[in-house]
Amino acid sequence: MIFSKNRWLGWLLLFIYILIVAKLVFYKVRIGNIDYHYESVAPRLTLRHNFILANFTPFRGIRNTILSGESASFILQNFLGNIVLYMPLGFLLPALIPKLSNYKSLAVVGFLLSLTFELIQLFGILGNFDVDDILLNTTGTLAGFLCLQIYLEWFKKDKLSGSE
């Protein structure tokens, strides 16, 4: 497939990608007008407080964000950020592991990776657990796979038309 000649490059990209996701999830950054830096609040929190702040109800955080009166750009950055963050997983994994070249397998892997990061945030007091992040991240994984499928179809058609 894509990394057939240089599989090591694909694995290196996947490793770097996971490090970047971990950095963004655990050591937040400021993007636009959204303050993603958690370091100033985390030292004052306890595990009990982190459980109180956690969102375990699907779509509650999404609904609350939409109804909060925040600007459309804030809402878009919040939702798209979670989706776009996981898109590379959706095209790197199937390119490296052909058994993961289906939506069901990728949804499970994207879900489990996101769940792992959310649980580390919850129990490590490194951020707020939010089930909606898991849903959006899983959606991002699937969107990345869809992009890969579109690219492969386009590439196949381009190759066929070029060989005539």
Side-chain angles (χ1 to χ4, degrees):
M1 220 166 153
I2 294 174
F3 296 112
S4 57
K5 292 181 183 178
N6 295 315
R7 290 187 63 74
W8 66 269
L9 178 61
W11 286 106
L12 178 63
L13 287 173
L14 181 63
F15 178 74
I16 291 170
Y17 162 74
I18 289 175
L19 288 177
I20 290 169
V21 171
K23 196 283 184 214
L24 292 174
V25 170
F26 301 135
Y27 305 101
K28 313 289 193 241
V29 296
R30 184 170 191 71
I31 301 174
N33 62 347
I34 304 173
D35 187 7
Y36 288 104
H37 194 70
Y38 199 75
E39 199 173 80
S40 61
V41 178
R44 296 188 304 240
L45 291 179
T46 64
L47 185 57
R48 181 174 165 270
H49 287 112
N50 221 25
F51 267 90
I52 291 168
L53 295 173
N55 172 30
F56 297 105
T57 306
F59 304 107
R60 181 174 54 184
I62 292 172
R63 181 181 52 89
N64 290 346
T65 301
I66 291 170
L67 298 176
S68 69
E70 290 288 347
S71 69
S73 69
F74 174 89
I75 294 169
L76 202 57
Q77 283 178 347
N78 189 17
F79 297 154
L80 285 181
N82 276 301
I83 291 170
V84 170
L85 183 65
Y86 272 68
M87 286 179 72
L89 190 65
F91 52 82
L92 283 172
L93 279 179
L96 292 167
I97 306 168
K99 285 185 177 184
L100 296 178
S101 293
N102 63 74
Y103 287 100
K104 185 179 178 182
S105 297
L106 276 175
V108 169
V109 171
F111 173 85
L112 291 175
L113 182 64
S114 183
L115 176 64
T116 299
F117 281 131
E118 291 296 319
L119 289 173
I120 291 170
Q121 285 186 101
L122 178 65
F123 290 105
I125 314 173
L126 293 170
N128 291 333
F129 179 95
D130 190 345
V131 70
D132 293 339
D133 287 351
I134 297 171
L135 297 172
L136 292 169
N137 296 157
T138 303
T139 300
T141 302
L142 297 175
F145 184 58
L146 177 63
C147 290
L148 175 66
Q149 295 300 307
I150 291 168
Y151 168 78
L152 292 175
E153 275 301 310
W154 172 77
F155 184 72
K156 194 184 322 179
K157 286 179 186 176
D158 191 48
K159 252 187 143 175
L160 289 175
S161 65
S163 63
E164 295 180 352

